[in-house]
Amino acid sequence: MEIGGEIRAQGKNAQANSWQIAIEKPEAGKREVWRVVDLDNQGLASSGNYRNFFEINQQRFAHTIHPKTGWPVQHALLSATVFHANSMTADALATLFMVLGREEALSFARQRNIHTILIEQTPHGLKEWSSF
């Protein structure tokens, strides 16, 4: 079942293989696959700041609001994907990681053994980071 950034896989597909789920490449205005992952009896959720944003004087403002400041987050993290037994928990964690940014999100995920894939904008293009 997929409801917009969140999905839950149960069992195997018709060929008795793991479900194959695409993680979207985080580029505004495009719909391309970044990579495909296996999903076995668990949930997956992705959050990102590459679709919903606005720009003022060439500065981008994300739709993710930092709860401590009340302002849009200002970092290079574009997408956070989290694998978890519970899709709702995966969704909450993906949103949290978008607030924290790459370094804090990876630290949080590694300390708690949370499987996450983060995609960040660098001066040389997109770069993937993983907690596993």
Side-chain angles (χ1 to χ4, degrees):
M1 177 188 313
E2 198 281 328
I3 52 175
E6 303 81 31
I7 195 165
R8 169 95 173 121
Q10 190 68 36
K12 301 288 184 181
N13 65 19
Q15 292 75 38
N17 296 319
S18 300
W19 292 99
Q20 301 285 293
I21 307 299
I23 295 175
E24 190 171 77
K25 185 176 184 179
E27 288 189 319
K30 296 184 180 178
R31 301 294 295 251
E32 295 179 30
V33 173
W34 173 258
R35 75 154 120 160
V36 176
V37 296
D38 291 340
L39 195 61
D40 290 304
N41 297 316
Q42 63 181 332
L44 178 144
S46 293
S47 291
N49 283 328
Y50 57 96
R51 281 200 197 133
N52 296 318
F53 61 89
F54 63 95
E55 292 181 353
I56 297 176
N57 297 327
Q58 298 179 336
Q59 182 177 3
R60 184 180 284 197
F61 293 89
H63 79 283
T64 302
I65 305 299
H66 196 296
K68 287 185 179 178
T69 66
W71 288 93
V73 296
Q74 292 289 310
H75 52 63
L77 185 60
L78 295 176
S79 172
T81 298
V82 175
F83 300 75
H84 196 277
N86 182 291
S87 296
M88 190 170 18
T89 301
D91 185 40
L93 288 167
T95 301
L96 170 65
F97 292 170
M98 289 305 303
V99 170
L100 294 177
R102 176 187 49 87
E103 290 181 22
E104 286 185 78
L106 282 175
S107 176
F108 185 98
R110 288 175 176 152
Q111 289 172 8
R112 292 161 181 83
N113 200 30
I114 298 167
H115 181 164
T116 188
I117 296 171
L118 307 175
I119 305 172
E120 185 176 53
Q121 182 67 57
T122 74
H124 306 290
L126 298 176
K127 181 169 181 180
E128 179 178 310
W129 302 83
S130 177
S131 64
F132 58 99

